[in-house]
Amino acid sequence: MTSTAPSPGSPESSLLDLAPVIPVVIVQDAAQAVPLARALVAGGLPVIEVTFRTPAAADAIRAIADEVPDAIVGAGTVLSPEQVETAVAAGSRFLVTPGWTDRLLGALDASGLPYLPGVSTTSEVVALLERGVEEMKFFPAEAAGGMPYLKALASPLPQARFCPTGGVNASNAPEYLALANVGCVGGTWMLPSDALAGGDWGRVESLAREAAALRG
């Protein structure tokens, strides 16, 4: 499986190479999805992961896909084949999971979309490589060993590339991004809850711009 997703500038780029940070978005109100996505795109973060943690997720993905053409919107916290189908129907352009099973991996593969299955152990990484999957989400990054763990994997498993998520923030993101086997990171720090509650999209755009500049 090759994690590729169309982008305005490079239609065949790897999902991990489109932006240094993938915002992990938890949408409580689908009406916020479009202005939120526009702010992230304007700040230089076009790849947006909307998590299936709220009932508004599918509607939020659909709205972004329909109304923010420069966004590459995908579904996160995908846990079942049924959620894969829902995400695809809503217009997702990629899929992200916190972990994987053979059944879920089969549904991800059958979707035809690029996907990042979650891993936290060496055995999971090796099992995915055996199946031809080379790009993965490392989750929960900090709790699972963080930068030292990923650095240790680089020599024996150089073909594996990761998007660390979970405990990644503006302070430690540059260190993760400096690792040879990290393509991008996922995080929420550019989406402070008070800014979302108040519809302060200018602040979101500013924080997104700072995040986009983490890899020069």
Side-chain angles (χ1 to χ4, degrees):
M1 193 280 300
T2 301
S3 290
T4 57
S7 72
S10 182
E12 298 304 320
S13 292
S14 161
L15 184 61
L16 298 185
D17 296 328
L18 298 179
V21 180
I22 297 179
V24 179
V25 180
I26 302 172
V27 178
Q28 303 292 344
D29 181 356
Q32 289 190 324
V34 168
L36 187 157
R38 286 175 175 158
L40 291 172
V41 170
L45 299 181
V47 184
I48 301 170
E49 176 188 335
V50 177
T51 68
F52 272 129
R53 300 184 194 181
T54 71
D59 287 339
I61 292 168
R62 186 174 295 107
I64 295 170
D66 289 345
E67 300 184 44
V68 191
D70 290 335
I72 300 170
V73 63
T77 320
V78 176
L79 301 175
S80 68
E82 293 75 22
Q83 285 187 328
V84 170
E85 292 180 5
T86 300
V88 172
S92 293
R93 293 169 65 180
F94 65 93
L95 305 166
V96 183
T97 75
W100 62 276
T101 64
D102 286 335
R103 180 170 176 261
L104 179 55
L105 196 67
L108 293 170
D109 203 42
S111 75
L113 296 179
Y115 57 86
L116 296 174
V119 298
S120 60
T121 70
T122 306
S123 293
E124 290 171 318
V125 176
V126 172
L128 287 176
L129 290 174
E130 190 176 76
R131 290 162 169 79
V133 179
E134 296 184 347
E135 299 188 348
M136 312 165 196
K137 172 179 178 175
F138 180 54
F139 177 82
E142 284 289 283
M147 288 168 276
Y149 192 92
L150 287 176
K151 188 174 182 179
L153 291 182
S155 180
L157 302 171
Q159 64 272 55
R161 298 181 72 221
F162 302 94
C163 174
T165 306
V168 180
N169 53 50
S171 297
N172 60 21
E175 296 177 79
Y176 275 105
L177 290 169
L179 297 176
N181 56 353
V182 169
C184 64
V185 300
T188 62
W189 73 87
M190 72 298 300
L191 301 163
S193 57
D194 58 337
L196 300 186
D200 189 352
W201 310 124
R203 183 179 173 201
V204 171
E205 179 180 340
S206 178
L207 290 170
R209 186 170 291 107
E210 292 175 5
L214 287 176
R215 175 181 284 155

